[in-house]
Amino acid sequence: MCRAIISTNTWEINMAEKQLDDLFYDTLKDIYFAERQILKALPKMARAASSDKLKAAFEKHKEETQGQIERLQEIFELLGKRAQGKTCEAIQGIIAEGEEIMEDFKGSPALDAGLISSAQAVEHYEMARYGTLKAWAEQLGHKQAVQLLDATLKEETKTDADLSSLATASLNASGKKAA
């Protein structure tokens, strides 16, 4: 019985020690891992796309993603922490769904529409993470981190809007079955 009390008290102490800065750092590691996985997935998506515009969009976003990784590394440096990732099961699942679409719709007129939907799922995840991190950085007084996160958030938002435009302009319609 004494052991249970000691274990409970230790757990409570450990939980009490966790602060917003710990959560901020933990979430930075999550998105750092995610961005590195996205960097690996984008060339596959570009190769799978049949639309030249979509291929170009994926290639452009690959370059942006590299810059976003560099910004994250800068934030880790500002915090005096080593840049390291933490497995992000959410992004692994989103990427796996994209790979499934590439496999199941290969050669189909609907493939590009599916690729856009997968890419937008990634963008929405990133926008949620960067928006949260920016708010936490503001709360924690990390002014330089706020600027870096805001720059990335703006890029992600623009990429999402560009993908939507591409989808509505032609790619969604080209995936429809002829009547």
Side-chain angles (χ1 to χ4, degrees):
M1 184 166 178
C2 186
R3 280 189 172 139
I5 292 171
I6 291 171
S7 296
T8 301
N9 289 340
T10 302
W11 180 80
E12 288 173 9
I13 290 169
N14 287 339
M15 292 304 292
E17 291 174 3
K18 297 284 184 174
Q19 302 292 325
L20 184 58
D21 58 338
D22 299 309
L23 188 57
F24 180 74
Y25 177 58
D26 197 56
T27 306
L28 272 178
K29 292 190 298 186
D30 173 277
I31 196 66
Y32 184 68
F33 176 91
E35 291 289 12
R36 292 174 64 205
Q37 296 303 304
I38 294 162
L39 191 62
K40 291 178 190 174
L42 283 166
K44 294 176 194 172
M45 295 175 78
R47 283 191 301 273
S50 59
S51 161
D52 289 338
K53 288 181 181 179
L54 185 55
K55 285 180 190 287
F58 288 145
E59 289 166 6
K60 177 184 175 204
H61 195 57
K62 180 181 179 262
E63 291 174 23
E64 286 179 348
T65 301
Q66 184 60 52
Q68 293 162 359
I69 290 169
E70 290 168 9
R71 281 189 208 115
L72 288 170
Q73 291 168 339
E74 192 174 338
I75 294 169
F76 281 113
E77 201 173 294
L78 289 168
L79 297 175
K81 307 271 188 182
R82 182 173 69 85
Q84 65 179 356
K86 171 189 160 194
T87 301
C88 174
E89 293 183 24
I91 206 65
Q92 288 179 323
I94 293 169
I95 290 171
E97 285 180 3
E99 289 171 351
E100 189 176 312
I101 286 172
M102 284 187 275
E103 189 175 307
D104 291 351
F105 289 85
K106 185 177 183 176
S108 159
L111 175 61
D112 285 349
L115 287 169
I116 288 176
S117 74
S118 296
Q120 286 191 292
V122 168
E123 293 310 310
H124 294 185
Y125 179 78
E126 290 176 303
M127 291 183 319
R129 281 293 187 222
Y130 284 114
T132 297
L133 284 166
K134 180 184 168 190
W136 290 344
E138 288 170 346
Q139 185 70 36
L140 294 166
H142 298 311
K143 292 178 180 166
Q144 287 179 289
V146 169
Q147 292 172 351
L148 295 166
L149 293 164
D150 186 57
T152 298
L153 182 57
K154 286 177 180 170
E155 283 178 355
E156 300 296 5
T157 302
K158 183 175 181 336
T159 297
D160 181 56
D162 291 347
L163 288 168
S164 288
S165 293
L166 195 53
T168 57
S170 64
L171 297 180
N172 285 348
S174 67
K176 285 187 347 186
K177 186 176 178 180

